[in-house]
Amino acid sequence: MPTRPDLNVSFYDHLDPKATAGVYTITVEHRLNKDGRRVDADAELPKAEDSYEIRAAQFVLDPSSVHATFPPAGAVGRYTHVLPHLTLSRAILPWERQLAGRAAKAPWLALLVFAAGELDDDPDAQGEFTTRPISELREPGPGIIGPELSGTIDGSNPCRTIDLPVRVFHAIVAREDELFKLVHMRDVRTAPQRRDNGEILTEGEYAVLAANRFPRTPGSYAVHLVSLEGWLGRLAPGTLPATEKVRLCSLWSWHFTNDPEGSLDPAGLLRNLVAPGHTDPENFALRLTPIGDPSDSPEVAHARTRLHRGYTAVAYRTLAGEDTYAWYRGPLTPLTAPELPVEAVEGPHTTADHALIYDHEYGLFDVSYAAAWTLGRAIALADPDYSSEVVQARRELANRAATLLALSTDPARAMNDPDEPAGAAALRELAAPGFGRGLLEALRAPAVQGPPPAAAVRSARLEPSALLTELRAQRLLLTVAQDTTPTMPDWLERLALLNGVPFAHLVPDPRMLPPESLRAFRIDPAWIHALVAGASDIGAHTSLDQSLDQVLTQRLAQAGTTLPAAGLLMNSELVRAWPVFDILATTADGEPVGELRRDHLAPDVLLVLWDGVPDQIAIREPGQGIHFGINSEERISLRHLTGSRVGYPTDTEFPDPGVPGSGTVFDYLRPGHGDALPDVLDLGGSGGLLRALSAACRPTGELTSGQFALELVNAPLEQLLLPPTVRRDCVADTFVKDGSGAEDFGSANPLLIKNEGPDSGVTRIAYLRFDTTQLPPPDQLGKVLLRVYAAAQDAGDFDLKAYATGNDWNESTLAWADKPALSDSPIASAHLGAADAWAWLEFDLTEHLRRHTGDEISVALGKEQGGNKVARITSREAATNRPHLSITVTQPTPNSGEEHR
């Protein structure tokens, strides 16, 4: 599935300035005309004339004009297939000066690449130059040729210069008809973003100059931005004496080192990381792979099932002092974790015993949630600021509740707010309507001896549970909780994103994430809840603390913590090589999944957490701006030049590898000078790259500068973590009941499955049908999973079986007597967990679907006889979690992730 472009760039051939640099004269004169005829021929009317000069860079370049360079200055890496380039923030600069005898759109700048030993002023190719007066540039002296410059120029001003042999100059400089193709303007439309080489891609217009030389030989290279003003007509071989030297004006320079053997191959690392998922997505699951041959014993089968679910065995000592082992799984799971009963997570608690899970059949503990609760408590107690805030909040809540409980014994006082200042109640009574009139009438009335006032009636003190049912008490206690926990919600939100959790709790066995591996996972929300509960339960000691915990829970719920749902772990040298790179996670509809956390747990280990479960993940190497060159096969990956997909890859190459003897781009190089390896592009002429590439792209005529640059763009390499996934929703579903007639179970939700044997009258079988037409050929189908959302009704821990069956049934009229027959043996199975623990079950139908592509398929779900156990499955009538097929395609289409025009 194509990912959304995060970089939108338009390429233009050139900018056409309204006026180039030079001296211009403005003349203003008066003319008198009548009926279209001039009548002032003999008169001398006033006339004015003035001159002005348009100045542009000529010998010195403002450093602020240089936006970025590639390769970066001082970089060391694999640049054998790269054409160095320079980006100018002043987009008009290459066309501001007009070369003598050329159109205004002809660039006056060029980018030259020099190897070590080719420059007299820079023998080590470090980007060095010699500062000389402009006069020594124009008239360098015997044996050196300078540019032919006209006009008045102050020769005393300094400029940067380089000297080089004529043979080197002619060997690497672009010919006059090639200069146009190596300079273009780009218009960037994107949100501000920083690339790894420091370039900030912001909206605006930029000029880009590309070199015509590949640094094929290992070693240092210097790149110089030179002025070609005064050099036209002398760029081709034979136009200058071979014994002379050339002096050029260098406006900017930098250097880099091509070291293909001594540097990492990030593209290769990335391809190796994602390759396992193209054969089977389960290779990315965070789990241990069992060693040895499977066994028929239930103990071995149970252990293998546990490992498949992401558990690992850890040392465990019981309260009785017995050393044994227990099962542990962290928050990162290879499968969707089942929901826990509500009472299992209610708190607060003072020990982790409530979170222990005991397997009566095998006599083992599952310590996953107990370890999470204990860890959360330990992290909280290790932070004195957080722990003191929670303890203080519980004490303030307890004090306020005690006050409210005491006031509850006096109905009159119970209506007062304990937070009000002294006398506030009396002032409120004085301000009540009618108080003044009543007081005046009482003073005027005769004094009468009345009965003594009745004694105050006190009620029994409320229980804390009853107090919390009063809205006024809830409001007062919630205010206390808010005032005393200013940082607690944010602290717990960071903890919920696994900040501070030791790596061993996330990946309990290093074999689950070996070097040069990548693992995708889902999050067990119950583990996160246990972790957060361990941190929030501190300070709860009394029964009153237990009752008031719901107030603290309500306070935290108001903060709205977002829990992660899925994520990615990477253990690779790639993380060290690319500290920052793009990971694009999207849903089936192409919508981006929110990234909650990205963190380096170690120099080679990266953790990413998302707020949803992505259907597709793409990893893209750092863009480092837009650079130019060829791919690893020494060919050009072609892009669309017309239509709605302009800039996107065409999935073809030049030269075409399918044509015998087509060669590579390196076949379009000039002969090397001396013993040097050919490395300079031959663009022009009948046998040059430009004509051959134009024919391959099939544009109308020759490629323009912008089109040529677009074809040479080496966009960041992108690899899909998983093959593209095709989803097929259920088109019909129902279940049949033993002995029943044509009952309409087609609209039922959930579907029921049970097996009490033939003629029991209660056995039920579910039927599901899927449209599997218009799928890729069988050899392109990867894993095919039937996914159903299911839970046991009364008692769990049993297997569901999937059977092949016919399509001749109707969901609204299917009866037991005419149900399609089932295959002799199941084609897949899945295990159902504890009762009421809803979870996704996955049945592997890969081989079955490969034999039945191009048609509808039906699958029946049943169980083995006995056990008085019932399975419930959400049907296609459910609002969410409907049954479907998840089909992976093993031949993904690469996408650059960038859009160009």
Side-chain angles (χ1 to χ4, degrees):
M1 177 179 298
T3 53
R4 291 187 166 193
D6 66 350
L7 180 60
N8 191 315
V9 181
S10 299
F11 290 78
Y12 296 91
D13 299 335
H14 59 86
L15 286 182
D16 194 0
K18 298 299 181 182
T20 58
V23 178
Y24 294 82
T25 300
I26 298 178
T27 301
V28 180
E29 59 182 33
H30 293 77
R31 290 187 180 183
L32 184 61
N33 296 291
K34 181 179 181 181
D35 298 329
R37 297 178 59 188
R38 186 171 180 177
V39 297
D40 62 344
D42 298 331
E44 292 188 3
L45 298 179
K47 181 169 64 174
E49 184 176 284
D50 199 1
S51 298
Y52 69 94
E53 181 181 3
I54 297 179
R55 294 182 178 179
Q58 185 175 16
F59 301 107
V60 178
L61 183 66
D62 187 343
S64 63
S65 299
V66 178
H67 181 66
T69 61
F70 187 83
V76 179
R78 293 173 176 261
Y79 301 119
T80 306
H81 299 151
V82 168
L83 292 175
H85 81 268
L86 178 142
T87 305
L88 297 171
S89 56
R90 182 171 175 79
I92 196 67
L93 185 59
W95 302 277
E96 276 189 311
R97 307 196 66 82
Q98 184 172 358
L99 300 180
R102 301 300 296 270
K105 62 182 179 181
W108 64 281
L109 297 173
L111 208 60
L112 302 184
V113 179
F114 299 96
E118 293 181 340
L119 285 177
D120 293 351
D121 299 281
D122 188 12
D124 297 325
Q126 297 297 304
E128 297 177 354
F129 52 87
T130 301
T131 301
R132 297 182 173 96
I134 297 176
S135 60
E136 294 185 16
L137 172 67
R138 299 182 69 177
E139 299 175 0
I144 303 177
I145 304 173
E148 297 176 348
L149 302 176
S150 60
T152 303
I153 300 174
D154 187 354
S156 62
N157 289 329
C159 65
R160 300 164 30 148
T161 64
I162 53 175
D163 290 351
L164 64 152
V166 167
R167 60 177 181 81
V168 175
F169 176 67
H170 284 156
I172 66 175
V173 72
R175 308 297 179 239
E176 293 183 22
D177 59 339
E178 297 176 347
L179 291 175
F180 293 88
K181 307 303 180 182
L182 296 173
V183 185
H184 67 274
M185 192 276 285
R186 78 182 187 196
D187 186 9
V188 179
R189 291 290 174 261
T190 181
Q193 51 185 279
R194 181 179 293 275
R195 294 308 210 201
D196 277 2
N197 68 342
E199 177 179 3
I200 302 177
L201 289 172
T202 55
E203 292 191 347
E205 296 180 347
Y206 303 88
V208 181
L209 294 95
N212 63 343
R213 187 179 189 182
F214 292 102
R216 298 181 65 186
T217 305
S220 296
Y221 287 85
V223 188
H224 287 263
L225 176 67
V226 301
S227 168
L228 293 183
E229 189 176 16
W231 288 103
L232 288 188
R234 301 191 290 173
L235 302 182
T239 56
L240 295 174
T243 58
E244 303 290 335
K245 292 188 177 181
V246 168
R247 178 165 294 174
L248 300 174
C249 177
S250 173
L251 287 87
W252 193 261
S253 63
W254 77 96
H255 80 282
F256 65 92
T257 301
N258 179 35
D259 185 13
E261 301 301 327
S263 60
L264 291 175
D265 179 13
L269 290 173
L270 179 55
R271 283 191 292 269
N272 292 335
L273 281 174
V274 303
H278 291 164
T279 56
D280 187 354
E282 289 296 318
N283 292 332
F284 287 146
L286 188 66
R287 60 165 68 103
L288 284 174
T289 302
I291 300 175
D293 297 330
S295 171
D296 295 333
S297 69
E299 293 80 10
V300 173
H302 173 74
R304 283 181 168 269
T305 300
R306 284 281 184 169
L307 294 178
H308 182 76
R309 296 176 185 174
Y311 286 90
T312 186
V314 295
Y316 181 67
R317 174 172 290 184
T318 66
L319 292 177
E322 178 186 359
D323 289 327
T324 179
Y325 76 93
W327 292 112
Y328 172 78
R329 183 177 68 185
L332 319 180
T333 69
L335 304 173
T336 303
E339 298 178 2
L340 291 183
V342 176
E343 59 271 12
V345 295
E346 288 182 342
H349 301 279
T350 55
T351 70
D353 292 348
H354 71 284
L356 284 172
I357 301 175
Y358 184 65
D359 187 340
H360 293 274
E361 184 175 358
Y362 295 98
L364 294 173
F365 281 100
D366 180 345
V367 299
S368 303
Y369 303 121
W373 189 92
T374 303
L375 176 63
R377 188 178 185 87
I379 294 175
L381 292 174
D383 188 334
D385 294 332
Y386 169 80
S387 56
S388 62
E389 180 176 307
V390 178
V391 172
Q392 180 66 21
R394 291 193 182 277
R395 298 287 68 79
E396 292 293 336
L397 281 172
N399 292 339
R400 179 52 49 86
T403 301
L404 294 175
L405 289 172
L407 292 176
S408 66
T409 62
D410 188 337
R413 295 180 61 199
M415 297 306 297
N416 296 331
D417 189 341
D419 285 334
E420 284 186 338
L427 291 174
R428 188 167 57 251
E429 187 176 350
L430 288 173
F435 177 82
R437 185 180 302 105
L439 178 61
L440 183 61
E441 292 177 355
L443 293 174
R444 289 176 177 174
V448 178
Q449 183 68 32
V457 179
R458 295 183 179 271
S459 60
R461 176 175 293 192
L462 293 176
E463 291 295 326
S465 58
L467 177 68
L468 292 174
T469 61
E470 295 183 356
L471 295 179
R472 177 174 170 275
Q474 291 179 11
R475 176 179 57 80
L476 293 174
L477 291 171
L478 184 58
T479 300
V480 173
Q482 292 171 338
D483 293 341
T484 55
T485 57
T487 66
M488 185 178 179
D490 291 339
W491 194 95
L492 291 177
E493 183 173 12
R494 292 192 298 271
L495 182 64
L497 294 178
L498 305 178
N499 286 284
V501 175
F503 185 72
H505 282 73
L506 302 177
V507 183
D509 193 310
R511 292 173 293 177
M512 302 171 75
L513 187 68
E516 298 306 321
S517 68
L518 183 150
R519 298 291 182 263
F521 53 82
R522 297 198 179 201
I523 295 292
D524 183 357
W527 200 98
I528 301 290
H529 284 301
L531 176 74
V532 173
S536 59
D537 286 353
I538 62 174
H541 303 297
T542 67
S543 59
L544 184 57
D545 292 334
Q546 295 274 345
S547 300
L548 295 175
D549 187 70
Q550 60 179 285
V551 178
L552 206 56
T553 302
Q554 183 181 358
R555 152 64 173 152
L556 298 176
Q558 291 178 344
T561 300
T562 301
L563 296 181
L568 183 74
L569 270 172
M570 184 184 297
N571 180 9
S572 172
E573 286 288 333
L574 188 70
V575 178
R576 191 189 301 268
W578 292 348
V580 179
F581 58 95
D582 294 330
I583 301 179
L584 309 174
T586 55
T587 65
D589 299 328
E591 294 296 324
V593 178
E595 187 176 295
L596 298 178
R597 181 187 175 195
R598 183 185 296 205
D599 205 353
H600 287 74
L601 305 182
D604 296 339
V605 179
L606 177 70
L607 169 68
V608 182
L609 297 178
W610 295 295
D611 61 5
V613 180
D615 294 290
Q616 189 57 265
I617 303 171
I619 301 176
R620 183 190 302 165
E621 69 172 310
Q624 297 170 315
I626 299 176
H627 55 265
F628 307 94
I630 56 180
N631 60 29
S632 59
E633 302 300 322
E634 301 174 0
R635 297 185 178 92
I636 297 174
S637 300
L638 299 180
R639 296 174 178 271
H640 290 281
L641 296 176
T642 58
S644 61
R645 298 281 294 170
V646 171
Y648 282 97
T650 64
D651 299 329
T652 58
E653 295 179 324
F654 171 84
D656 188 350
V659 177
S662 59
T664 68
V665 172
F666 287 160
D667 293 324
Y668 295 89
L669 301 177
R670 300 178 190 174
H673 59 279
D675 297 331
L677 190 69
D679 53 10
V680 178
L681 277 175
D682 183 10
L683 294 178
S686 59
L689 174 65
L690 187 60
R691 178 170 294 186
L693 183 59
S694 299
C697 296
R698 296 181 178 86
T700 56
E702 189 177 85
L703 289 173
T704 66
S705 301
Q707 292 173 332
F708 181 66
L710 179 57
E711 294 297 350
L712 284 178
V713 165
N714 262 347
L717 172 70
E718 180 177 284
Q719 291 286 339
L720 296 179
L721 177 61
L722 298 176
T725 302
V726 177
R727 173 171 170 149
R728 290 290 184 266
D729 289 321
C730 185
V731 296
D733 59 15
T734 186
F735 69 89
V736 292
K737 179 180 177 183
D738 184 13
S740 67
E743 299 185 40
D744 185 7
F745 293 126
S747 58
N749 181 42
L751 306 177
L752 301 180
I753 300 172
K754 190 174 182 179
N755 190 354
E756 289 300 304
D759 304 322
S760 65
V762 294
T763 297
R764 296 170 175 83
I765 302 175
Y767 285 81
L768 303 95
R769 183 187 301 137
F770 301 90
D771 182 3
T772 54
T773 60
Q774 298 181 350
L775 286 177
D779 61 345
Q780 294 185 20
L781 296 182
K783 179 151 290 190
V784 179
L785 297 176
L786 166 61
R787 304 186 75 239
V788 297
Y789 197 63
Q793 181 166 295
D794 298 315
D797 199 21
F798 58 92
D799 288 339
L800 289 184
K801 308 288 186 179
Y803 297 87
T805 187
N807 293 321
D808 188 18
W809 54 274
N810 185 289
E811 67 175 1
S812 60
T813 60
L814 183 62
W816 181 268
D818 58 3
K819 67 183 185 300
L822 309 184
S823 57
D824 294 336
S825 58
I827 57 177
S829 64
H831 188 78
L832 202 59
D836 296 324
W838 287 90
W840 283 103
L841 302 186
E842 295 181 342
F843 300 84
D844 189 345
L845 305 185
T846 305
E847 295 303 323
H848 178 67
L849 184 59
R850 285 176 178 172
R851 294 192 298 267
H852 297 86
T853 54
D855 198 357
E856 291 186 340
I857 65 167
S858 291
V859 178
L861 297 181
K863 64 178 291 292
E864 295 180 350
Q865 181 178 338
N868 192 27
K869 296 179 179 180
V870 181
R872 295 171 291 170
I873 297 175
T874 58
S875 70
R876 71 188 188 99
E877 284 76 19
T880 58
N881 301 329
R882 293 182 287 269
H884 61 273
L885 295 178
S886 177
I887 308 167
T888 58
V889 182
T890 59
Q891 295 185 1
T893 300
N895 188 300
S896 73
E898 297 188 358
E899 180 180 355
H900 310 284
R901 295 197 295 272

